[in-house]
Amino acid sequence: MGSKIIIQNAQLAVPNDPVIPVIMGDGIGPDVMQAMRLTLDAAVAQAFGGQKKIEWLEVLAGAAAFAKTQEWLPRETLDAIKEHIVAIKGPLTTPIGGGIRSLNVTIRQELDLYACVRPVRYFEGVVSPVKRPQDIDLIIFRENTEDVYSGIEWKAGTPEADKVIEFLQKELHVNIRANSGIGIKPISAFGTKRLVKKAIAYAIQNHKPSVTLMHKGNIMKFTEGSFKEWGYQAAQEYFPQETITEQEVADNGGKIPDGKIVIKDRLADSLFQQVLLRPTEYSVIATPNLNGDYISDACAAQVGGLGLAPGANISDHVAVFEATHGTAPKYADKNMANPGSVILSGVMLLDYLGWQSAGQLITDALAKTIQQKIVTYDLERQMSGATKVGTREFAEAIVKNLAC
C-alpha cells in the first residue's frame, strides 16, 4: 500500500515505501513514463538492497482524464499531489478552445509551485551544435507563478481590452494603438525573493560558486529591473554571511573570500551570448518566468536537446517532477521516444527524497549507455555507429548498466 511522506520540522520525512502520484501523460507520455518507472524501481532496489521501494499511485490529467471525467485536470489529482507531497508527470496536451490554457501552468499555479528547476549538463557522446558542450553545467531557477505567464491578457477588439486601453489612455496618458491585444506582466518582491532564496540555498548546499540574476531591467525597469534589485536584497536578507556581490569582489581586488557565493546579474540578451561563449562562468541562474523558459531550452540545445533535459516544479515542500518536452503525438504508442528527460527528472525526484545513491546509479548508467551508443532514434540519427533501440529497450539497457 505504501506510506505517506510527511513534513516534520520543515523537512520531508520520507518512509521506506513512499506513495508517489504519477501522471502518465499524453502522446508519448505512457511510453516514457513506463521506462522511467522501470529504471527508478531497479535503481532503488539495487541501491538499498530491496529495503526501499516507491509505491506508484496513478492519477489523471490531460486527455486520459478528460475521456474518463470530462475534466482536463480533476480536483482529485491536485488533492492527491498535495496529500503525498512529491509527484512526477509525463507531458500533457494543451486543451483546444476555452477553459484551461495550459495544464502545466495550471498545475504550477494551483499548487503554488513557484520554482521551475532545470539542470543542464552534457553526456559524453551526444552530438551537440557547439564545440565544447561539456562546459555547460548549470541549473536554472525560473520563477513559475508570475510574469506574462500569469495569463492576465485580453484579445484585441474585446470589450475588456478596449476598456483597459481606454483607462490607460485617459488616466495614465499612455499611447496604445487601437485594436491591440493587452497583457499584464506582474513581478512582485514576494515572488522574486522566495525564488532567489531557493536558488541561493541550492548553491550553498551544492557548493556552487555563483548565482546570476537574469533580467531585462534596462528596458522593463519596474518589473525585471525590480527582479534584479529584489534578488540582491534577498541575498542580503537571508544569506548575508554566505554571499558577496560581484561589485564587492571587484572592490576586494577581484578576490573571492573562501566559502562565499558570488551574486551577480546579467541582461537577458547578454546572458544568452555568454552561455555560448563563456559557459563555465555560470553555475546557478535565477530568472523571471519568460526568460527562464527561453534560457532553459536554449541551454538544453547546447548539450543535445530536450530529450535529456530534466525539470521540476517545486514549492516550499510540494514538488512535481516532469518531462520538459511535449507530447509528440505522432510517436505515441510506437516505443520510439527518448525517455531520458523524464528518467533524469526521476533522478531529481530521488535526490529530493534524499535517495541520492539511487539517483547517482541511474545517472552513471545512463551516461554509460550513451557511450555504448545504445540510444533511441533521436540520438541514433546523429551518432556514427550507434544502435537504435526503442523506448523500453533504452530503459532496459540503463538497468543492465546499473550494476556495471
Side-chain angles (χ1 to χ4, degrees):
M1 293 291 292
S3 306
K4 292 181 183 178
I5 298 170
I6 60 174
I7 306 298
Q8 288 183 339
N9 301 319
Q11 300 292 326
L12 295 189
V14 181
N16 287 340
D17 57 346
V19 176
I20 304 292
V22 56
I23 297 170
M24 297 301 284
D26 301 322
I28 61 172
D31 281 352
V32 298
M33 294 298 282
Q34 288 166 11
M36 179 276 299
R37 289 169 62 169
L38 172 69
T39 307
L40 262 65
D41 286 343
V44 168
Q46 180 166 318
F48 302 110
Q51 297 301 305
K52 295 184 179 183
K53 180 183 179 182
I54 293 174
E55 295 290 345
W56 302 104
L57 172 66
E58 290 195 24
V59 294
L60 294 175
F66 191 79
K68 291 187 177 182
T69 69
Q70 295 300 295
E71 294 182 274
W72 290 99
L73 183 59
R75 187 76 238 174
E76 292 81 357
T77 293
L78 294 171
D79 290 343
I81 296 172
K82 286 182 181 179
E83 180 181 359
H84 296 287
I85 301 176
V86 176
I88 190 166
K89 72 175 191 67
L92 294 172
T93 191
T94 298
I96 298 174
I100 295 174
R101 68 175 59 219
S102 166
L103 292 172
N104 294 323
V105 171
T106 301
I107 289 170
R108 295 165 189 168
Q109 292 180 342
E110 286 287 325
L111 298 174
D112 196 27
L113 304 173
Y114 60 85
C116 180
V117 182
R118 293 188 175 179
V120 184
R121 58 152 291 182
Y122 177 67
F123 286 91
E124 185 179 349
V126 175
V127 175
S128 164
V130 299
K131 292 181 178 179
R132 292 187 55 82
Q134 65 271 26
D135 288 349
I136 282 273
D137 184 10
L138 53 80
I139 186 162
I140 296 154
F141 282 74
R142 165 192 174 194
E143 204 291 319
N144 230 359
T145 64
E146 300 187 324
D147 202 353
V148 292
Y149 277 55
S150 299
I152 307 171
E153 61 176 355
W154 299 276
K155 185 178 180 180
T158 61
E160 295 85 357
D162 291 342
K163 187 175 182 179
V164 173
I165 291 171
E166 181 181 11
F167 170 79
L168 293 172
Q169 289 176 331
K170 289 185 176 180
E171 300 296 328
L172 300 177
H173 309 294
V174 174
N175 183 27
I176 298 177
R177 293 187 180 94
N179 200 35
S180 292
I182 295 291
I184 293 180
K185 178 188 178 74
I187 290 181
S188 70
F190 173 81
T192 298
K193 287 185 177 182
R194 67 177 180 173
L195 182 279
V196 174
K197 179 182 179 183
K198 187 174 282 291
I200 297 174
Y202 175 90
I204 292 170
Q205 184 177 357
N206 292 275
H207 310 290
K208 299 295 184 179
S210 69
V211 173
T212 302
L213 306 171
M214 178 186 182
H215 63 92
K216 191 61 178 168
N218 59 329
I219 303 299
M220 292 170 278
K221 298 181 185 298
F222 306 120
T223 52
E224 300 209 10
S226 294
F227 178 91
K228 179 193 77 170
E229 298 303 326
W230 290 326
Y232 279 115
Q233 290 174 19
Q236 183 58 38
E237 289 172 14
Y238 298 117
F239 307 103
Q241 302 304 316
E242 296 89 350
T243 61
I244 186 171
T245 68
E246 197 170 39
Q247 183 60 54
E248 289 170 336
V249 172
D251 295 342
N252 192 41
K255 296 179 180 179
I256 302 172
D258 290 344
K260 290 279 190 177
I261 293 171
V262 178
I263 310 299
K264 52 191 176 182
D265 72 273
R266 295 291 184 272
L267 293 175
D269 44 351
S270 172
L271 189 57
F272 271 101
Q273 181 175 215
Q274 292 193 32
V275 294
L276 282 166
L277 298 178
R278 303 200 300 271
T280 57
E281 295 181 12
Y282 301 95
S283 54
V284 179
I285 296 171
T287 181
N289 208 331
L290 183 61
N291 291 340
D293 199 358
Y294 292 156
I295 194 71
S296 59
D297 281 13
C299 288
Q302 290 181 228
V303 296
L306 288 175
L308 294 170
N313 302 290
I314 305 174
S315 68
D316 290 338
H317 300 295
V318 177
V320 178
F321 299 83
E322 66 178 355
T324 59
H325 51 70
T327 58
K330 72 176 182 178
Y331 296 113
D333 302 318
K334 292 184 178 179
N335 191 41
M336 291 178 64
N338 183 350
S341 172
V342 77
I343 288 174
L344 290 169
S345 298
V347 170
M348 294 179 69
L349 184 154
L350 294 173
D351 290 347
Y352 197 69
L353 298 181
W355 295 4
Q356 289 90 345
S357 57
Q360 191 61 53
L361 281 176
I362 294 173
T363 301
D364 293 344
L366 174 62
K368 184 169 184 178
T369 304
I370 292 172
Q371 289 169 21
Q372 293 170 338
K373 297 189 176 183
I374 301 171
V375 291
T376 49
Y377 82 97
D378 58 315
L379 298 178
E380 181 270 340
R381 62 188 177 183
Q382 301 179 68
M383 297 169 64
S384 175
T387 300
K388 181 172 68 174
V389 296
T391 308
R392 182 175 180 86
E393 289 72 28
F394 184 62
E396 289 172 344
I398 295 171
V399 170
K400 182 178 179 181
N401 281 325
L402 288 173
C404 299

